[in-house]
């Protein structure tokens, strides 16, 4: 059994590494629920398989699937992807999986946040979410990593770090009364310091327009490396995203990171605007307790929702008019990595993208025996 530790990562000398640091591998979950994924989730499954294939070129990938879908998932996933039976309510591994932390000796441990399906009974996306709530713990068991149980509701998509003491978050999400209504900004920061090992929290305002997670940072902006942030940009004055991106840009311009540096901001184009088509909405079944999706709804498409793998970037392809510009920008920001695009509209229709469906496990330092002693 994995140990649940009594103290906090910061108290034990642990920090969350940047996603751009070396990984041991990547975890995903299999899309299955027909009230979130159209046409019995088949188109989404093909897209997820393509993401697993793409990340699998760079690092080991594990996918969790229900007992019912094990055989069909096995036929769609490449052989080098490990498939394990793992119950879940939906498939957003970024949010329900563990947030891993490391120490200077290369030991890896996991933070298990409380999860309430992005808002619980006050605007959450589905009920129940009890199986999602267990996913992080199960992943840590399988990976033999010790666990910290954080005392707050949080999701992996709501935080980005530079690995050097800085966290990037949005007020819209982390101060939303549907997450931790009794905690104010100072109390949230205290928890982020304790569980991510950061000393500086940079607060942006709102997330991407109409993002159903209440403005996850991972749709809006991310660290490419310490001192460099990618930001979803919008030049169209009349678009509701315009004010959001400009406000974020101003806050980033005025911010200093934990080491006192100014940030360089790289603007990523915004796809679309993109909307749900009638035939896409009609492929969903409606179910009580699940947020309904309707034709014409604006989709929170963003190129900032890419995954940084060892030696690669796996980015969503969302709009033929902007895909190549986004890919060129990412190639320039990540000169040492190969940029791979995956057609990702089917993932977007479910409310997120490639970053949201993946969660990295950092590499233990080679030769330290750190994985073996991580419990
Ligand atoms: O990490 C993310 N941004 C998750 C998106 C979850 C969407 C739920 N439908």
């Amino acid at each position: 059994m994995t140990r649940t530790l009594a103290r906090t990562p910061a108290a034990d000398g642990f920090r969350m590494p940047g996603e751009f640091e070396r990984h041991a591998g990547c975890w995903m979950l299999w899309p299955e629920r027909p009230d979130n994924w159209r046409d019995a989730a088949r188109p989404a499954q093909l897209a997820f398989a393509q993401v697993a294939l793409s990340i699998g070129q760079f690092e080991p990938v594990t996918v969790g699937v229900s007992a019912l879908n094990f055989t069909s998932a096995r036929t769609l996933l490449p052989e080098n992807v490990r498939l394990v039976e793992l119950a879940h309510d939906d498939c957003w591994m970024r949010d329900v999986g563990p947030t891993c932390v490391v120490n200077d000796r290369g030991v890896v441990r996991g933070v298990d946040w409380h999860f309430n399906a992005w808002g619980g009974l006050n605007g959450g996306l589905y009920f129940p979410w009890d199986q999602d709530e267990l996913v992080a713990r199960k992943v840590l068991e399988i990976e033999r990593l010790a666990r910290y149980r954080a005392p707050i509701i949080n999701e992996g998509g709501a935080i980005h770090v530079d690995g050097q003491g800085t966290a990037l978050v949005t007020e819209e999400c982390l101060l939303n009364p549907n997450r931790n209504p009794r905690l104010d900004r100072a109390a949230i920061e205290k928890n982020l310091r304790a569980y991510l090992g950061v000393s500086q929290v940079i607060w942006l305002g709102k997330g991407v327009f109409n993002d159903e997670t209440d403005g996850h940072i991972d749709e809006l902006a991310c660290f490419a490396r310490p001192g460099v942030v990618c930001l979803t940009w919008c030049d169209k004055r009349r678009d509701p995203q315009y004010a959001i991106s400009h406000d974020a840009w101003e806050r980033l311009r005025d911010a200093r990171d934990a080491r006192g540096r100014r940030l360089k901001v790289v603007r990523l184009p915004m796809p679309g605007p993109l909307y749900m088509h009638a035939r896409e909405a009609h492929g969903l079944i409606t179910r009580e307790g699940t947020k309904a999706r309707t034709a014409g709804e604006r989709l929170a498409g963003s190129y900032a929702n890419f995954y940084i793998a060892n030696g690669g970037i796996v980015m969503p392809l969302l709009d033929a008019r902007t895909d190549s510009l986004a890919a060129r920008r990412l190639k320039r920001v990540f000169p040492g990595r190969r940029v791979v695009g995956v057609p990702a509209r089917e993932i977007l229709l479910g409310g997120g993208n490639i970053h949201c469906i993946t969660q990295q496990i950092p590499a233990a330092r080679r030769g330290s025996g750190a994985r073996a002693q991580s419990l």
Side-chain angles (χ1 to χ4, degrees):
M1 191 178 101
T2 55
R3 266 195 306 148
T4 297
L5 302 155
R7 303 194 334 154
T8 68
D12 290 339
F14 282 72
R15 66 173 176 101
M16 181 183 173
E19 192 174 317
F20 39 78
E21 295 181 47
R22 192 96 195 141
H23 301 172
C26 174
W27 275 79
M28 298 173 60
L29 289 163
W30 196 239
E32 303 183 17
R33 52 188 302 156
D35 53 350
N36 195 55
W37 302 103
R38 72 180 177 121
D39 303 341
R42 191 65 169 187
Q45 290 168 355
L46 295 171
F48 275 53
Q50 194 64 40
V51 171
L53 176 76
S54 304
I55 298 175
Q57 301 171 61
F58 301 107
E59 60 192 45
V61 177
T62 304
V63 177
V65 63
S66 69
L68 196 64
N69 284 297
F70 186 92
T71 315
S72 62
R74 189 62 282 171
T75 60
L76 292 181
L77 286 165
E79 268 176 24
N80 67 343
V81 168
R82 172 173 67 160
L83 188 61
V84 297
E85 190 181 317
L86 189 60
H88 51 285
D89 296 299
D90 202 359
C91 52
W92 305 97
M93 187 53 103
R94 177 64 49 186
D95 294 341
V96 300
T99 295
C100 286
V101 290
V102 296
N103 72 2
D104 286 347
R105 289 166 45 230
V107 177
V108 181
R109 292 177 174 169
V111 175
D112 178 2
W113 310 98
H114 286 267
F115 177 75
N116 74 350
W118 308 275
L121 301 181
N122 174 15
L125 300 179
Y126 49 76
F127 175 87
W129 54 81
D130 54 311
Q131 293 306 310
D132 279 349
E133 175 68 302
L134 293 173
V135 169
R137 191 171 181 179
K138 292 178 181 174
V139 170
L140 294 173
E141 286 268 359
I142 295 170
E143 294 283 349
R144 296 183 181 282
L145 299 174
R147 163 180 181 256
Y148 292 100
R149 180 59 160 159
I152 61 167
I153 289 170
N154 192 21
E155 300 105 36
I159 48 175
H160 263 305
V161 297
D162 68 355
Q164 296 187 351
T166 317
L168 198 54
V169 299
T170 65
E171 292 167 348
E172 181 186 355
C173 183
L174 280 168
L175 302 184
N176 198 304
N178 67 12
R179 301 305 208 281
N180 300 284
R182 281 195 281 273
L183 302 187
D184 63 8
R185 183 188 299 257
I188 294 287
E189 279 202 17
K190 192 171 167 204
N191 278 284
L192 297 178
R193 287 166 199 261
Y195 286 88
L196 301 177
V198 296
S199 56
Q200 173 83 330
V201 180
I202 298 176
W203 290 90
L204 302 187
K206 291 186 178 166
V208 163
F209 178 70
N210 218 25
D211 176 355
E212 64 191 24
T213 64
D214 304 309
H216 268 187
I217 190 70
D218 75 344
E219 294 279 11
L220 180 70
C222 66
F223 281 107
R225 56 181 172 274
V228 181
V229 172
C230 296
L231 173 67
T232 299
W233 192 247
C234 173
D235 274 324
K236 299 177 190 133
R237 275 187 180 275
R238 289 223 290 267
D239 192 300
Q241 186 58 39
Y242 181 92
I244 297 172
S245 291
H246 282 70
D247 174 64
W249 187 83
E250 282 168 18
R251 292 181 190 224
L252 289 166
R253 179 197 61 199
D254 296 342
R256 298 289 180 278
D257 68 14
R259 299 205 176 174
R261 289 174 292 224
R262 288 178 184 276
L263 299 167
K264 177 179 175 202
V265 180
V266 176
R267 298 172 184 185
L268 296 180
M270 191 187 73
L274 305 172
Y275 300 91
M276 182 169 278
H277 301 144
R279 65 170 186 286
E280 294 168 336
H282 293 153
L284 291 162
I285 65 152
T286 51
R287 195 187 273 168
E288 209 187 319
T290 302
K291 179 193 181 308
R293 297 187 185 284
T294 47
E297 221 174 87
R298 170 116 170 220
L299 302 166
S302 163
Y303 293 112
N305 207 265
F306 56 84
Y307 180 75
I308 309 179
N310 294 335
I313 298 294
V314 181
M315 67 167 286
L317 299 178
L318 294 165
D319 184 342
R321 295 165 297 183
T322 42
D323 287 345
S324 345
L325 175 58
R328 279 203 303 280
R329 292 261 156 96
L330 290 175
K331 276 179 196 153
R332 204 166 339 127
V333 186
F334 295 99
R337 297 179 202 255
R338 187 152 57 86
V339 176
V340 178
V342 175
R345 183 172 173 91
E346 293 297 335
I347 309 175
L348 178 61
L349 293 176
N353 228 293
I354 294 175
H355 194 258
C356 308
I357 64 169
T358 50
Q359 182 59 267
Q360 69 278 1
I361 306 291
R365 192 172 302 148
R366 236 176 305 183
S368 67
R371 277 319 264 297
Q373 42 173 273
S374 64
L375 294 176

